[in-house]
Amino acid sequence: MAAPKKSRGLGKGLDALFGDAEVTLERTPAKVSEKNVAMETGEKAEPKADPVAGGITYIDINDIKPNSNQPRKTFDEEKLEELAASIAEHGLIQPVVLRKAGKGYEIVAGERRWRAARKVGIKELPCIVKELTDEENMLLAIIENMQREDLNPIEEAEGIKQMIDTYGLTQEQVSKSVGKSRPYIANCLRLLKLPEMIVGYLAEGELSTGHAKAIAGVEDEDRQIELAKDAVKNGWSVRQLEKMAREEKPAAKKPRKAAAKNANVKRVEEDLKEALGTKVTLNQKGNKGKIEIEFYSKEELERLIEMLKNVK
């Protein structure tokens, strides 16, 4: 069979995953072994055929493994328990999307469903098997998670970066593939340049993408960390954080160094100091300048005035 062509036009997202397959609403049935069928009917058990690509079939849950390119790295246990309870009550409403991998199958989309189904002891899952290249497998896994908003901001950003670094997509191609704007993609990638502490806050859900964008607009790294800590500690909204980021602390002004005076200027200052008996400063700019004569009391001022009046 000819290898499937690589596709850059993945903007259809989930439509590309499920195609025209009909989604089952029935609870997953218990597995019936071929051996038991043979014993009851007296017929020789036929080996189980591979699922037809694109159609829905039931596959042993132990023959399925997670996707090595899964962009999601963390799974909320509380939400998994909620999903498991729903599956136990209503069955698995949406099939898991797989591709062949060695003797079994690899998940393309639906790892949360697979994990939750394992929790409630389901033996078989309704699945759709797709023939996908490694590139298509990774892209569809990222698209599926992004369209469902299942990823935290850092997982999303790392998935986008992987699409660019591993498969050479441009930001424009990623934008079309995941159905997000070009500025959205650029802002996601900026998150990965934030300090490690802030990246941790984002990955743990303590800060949102909106918070991160406000912090990323601040140039000073120490100020970024300070804002992130305050936002987490005080539970700031995105608007509150944006306001605080705008009120950025002004950098301390460095004192201006006085221009080095040449020997002639210093000699004149010393001569005037000796003549007047007080500190004299000569500030010269080209052929112009000013002389500053210091005094420390009313009497000293009067003395200096009299001396200057008598200068001939």
Side-chain angles (χ1 to χ4, degrees):
M1 183 191 305
K5 294 181 179 179
K6 292 186 179 181
S7 171
R8 300 289 189 194
L10 297 174
K12 291 184 179 180
L14 297 186
D15 290 341
L17 293 176
F18 300 116
D20 298 326
E22 181 181 352
V23 177
T24 179
L25 297 177
E26 298 297 326
R27 184 177 300 182
T28 305
K31 182 177 180 180
V32 180
S33 72
E34 292 83 353
K35 183 177 178 181
N36 289 341
V37 171
M39 290 176 63
E40 292 176 7
T41 62
E43 298 177 1
K44 184 178 179 180
E46 295 293 331
K48 192 171 183 180
D50 277 348
V52 177
I56 292 180
T57 188
Y58 286 90
I59 295 176
D60 189 316
I61 197 168
N62 294 317
D63 292 336
I64 301 171
K65 65 179 182 179
N67 187 342
S68 58
N69 287 317
Q70 164 67 267
R72 182 209 299 269
K73 306 302 179 187
T74 57
F75 292 83
D76 187 306
E77 277 301 316
E78 184 177 345
K79 291 183 178 179
L80 272 180
E81 291 292 347
E82 292 174 359
L83 180 56
S86 175
I87 290 173
E89 178 69 21
H90 305 290
L92 192 60
I93 295 177
Q94 194 169 54
V96 176
V97 181
L98 311 174
R99 72 166 182 163
K100 284 286 291 181
K103 295 182 180 180
Y105 301 89
E106 183 180 61
I107 298 171
V108 176
E111 185 170 337
R112 286 183 69 250
R113 280 163 271 158
W114 173 76
R115 287 174 178 262
R118 289 175 69 90
K119 283 181 175 290
V120 296
I122 290 180
K123 303 300 181 183
E124 289 185 327
L125 297 181
C127 302
I128 297 172
V129 180
K130 292 280 187 179
E131 292 185 11
L132 301 172
T133 64
D134 288 343
E135 178 180 1
E136 290 168 335
N137 174 39
M138 187 201 72
L139 294 181
L140 290 178
I142 293 171
I143 290 168
E144 194 259 356
N145 279 284
M146 287 183 67
Q147 289 189 344
R148 295 178 186 279
E149 298 183 348
D150 281 346
L151 302 177
N152 68 50
I154 296 303
E155 289 172 336
E156 183 178 48
E158 289 176 339
I160 290 171
K161 188 174 187 297
Q162 190 177 6
M163 293 169 75
I164 293 170
D165 292 348
T166 305
Y167 297 106
L169 273 68
T170 65
Q171 289 191 21
E172 187 64 31
Q173 288 171 323
V174 173
S175 169
K176 292 178 180 178
S177 294
V178 300
K180 303 286 187 180
S181 70
R182 172 69 173 73
Y184 181 94
I185 300 302
N187 285 330
C188 279
L189 293 173
R190 286 178 67 195
L191 302 184
L192 298 178
K193 297 179 180 179
L194 290 170
E196 186 176 348
M197 176 182 289
I198 301 175
V199 170
Y201 284 148
L202 289 165
E204 293 165 11
E206 295 188 78
L207 292 177
S208 70
T209 304
H211 289 103
K213 288 178 181 177
I215 292 171
V218 176
E219 292 185 3
D220 182 69
E221 184 173 306
D222 291 337
R223 179 64 173 150
Q224 289 179 336
I225 293 173
E226 181 184 359
L227 286 168
K229 286 181 177 179
D230 288 344
V232 172
K233 180 181 178 180
N234 300 316
W236 287 345
S237 67
V238 173
R239 285 190 176 183
Q240 286 173 311
L241 180 54
E242 287 174 340
K243 180 181 178 182
M244 295 304 296
R246 285 194 296 269
E247 296 174 0
E248 190 169 351
K249 294 178 180 178
K253 292 184 178 180
K254 295 183 179 179
R256 294 177 63 183
K257 291 184 178 179
K261 294 182 178 179
N262 62 42
N264 291 332
V265 171
K266 289 183 178 180
R267 187 173 63 251
V268 170
E269 288 180 339
E270 288 297 322
D271 290 345
L272 289 172
K273 177 180 178 181
E274 186 176 342
L276 298 175
T278 189
K279 183 179 179 181
V280 178
T281 303
L282 174 60
N283 295 314
Q284 185 179 9
K285 292 182 180 179
N287 294 325
K288 297 181 179 180
K290 61 182 179 179
I291 297 174
E292 295 179 358
I293 304 172
E294 295 187 12
F295 60 90
Y296 305 96
S297 66
K298 181 181 178 182
E299 290 76 13
E300 188 170 18
L301 174 59
E302 290 175 348
R303 179 183 67 82
L304 290 169
I305 292 172
E306 286 300 319
M307 286 182 68
L308 292 173
K309 282 181 178 179
N310 295 325
V311 172
K312 293 182 180 180

